[in-house]
Amino acid sequence: MSEQAPVGYELVRSRRRSLEVRVFPDGRVQVRAPLRMAARHIEAFVDERQDWIARQRRIMAHRPRQRWSHGETCLHLGEPRRLEVTPVARPGGRVSLEGDRLRVAVPGPEDESQVRDAVHEWWRGQARVFFRDSIDRQFPWFADRGHALPTLRVKKMRTRWGSLSPRGYINLNLLLMAFPPAVIDYVVMHELCHLEHMNHGPDFHALMDRRMPDWRRHKARLEG
Ligand SMILES: [Zn+2]
């Protein structure tokens, strides 16, 4: 039995079939539910997951927050880069990589959100190329099995690294650009394996073991 006090949560109803609970980096808990599901089902679902929710919130609380100011370090493709932030007159931002220094020019250098947004926009241009390359290298085995190439969508997502929709899209999180290419390959392989198995059952994991024997190491890096 859990000793944790139940946490409050935000309920979002939408046209979906299943229940899902999300824990955001700021500790907020959101439950997404089908439009007409009875409240007692939703409460029972959340009750069963109290331990998991508490664990996620502890993880979030201890995770050091990325600072986006001059002199701080940010990760780019798994490599630490020193941020050099300078002011620029025009709106938007300009980002360039020089050795291990990431130079960011924004109108408000003291505003961390401007620096972060400029880096993320810079990533967006590269993410499609990196993610596309990873898919192209790993997809041929799935093509041989008769699967159609999923369409790549790059999104900034707060609670997941990737997803594969039954409608033929592979969604990958822009923020994967902070991780080494091998970790990006792991997420892509995970999503591609969902072409064969739409769940995380034993067959799915057996396929991951065959396609990428060291996937657990990359998963640990992603979660660490
Ligand atoms: Zn999955």
Side-chain angles (χ1 to χ4, degrees), residues 160 162-163 190-191 194 199-200 204:
R160 59 213 305 197
S163 65
H190 177 112
E191 301 312 333
H194 279 317
N199 52 43
H200 296 127
F204 174 85

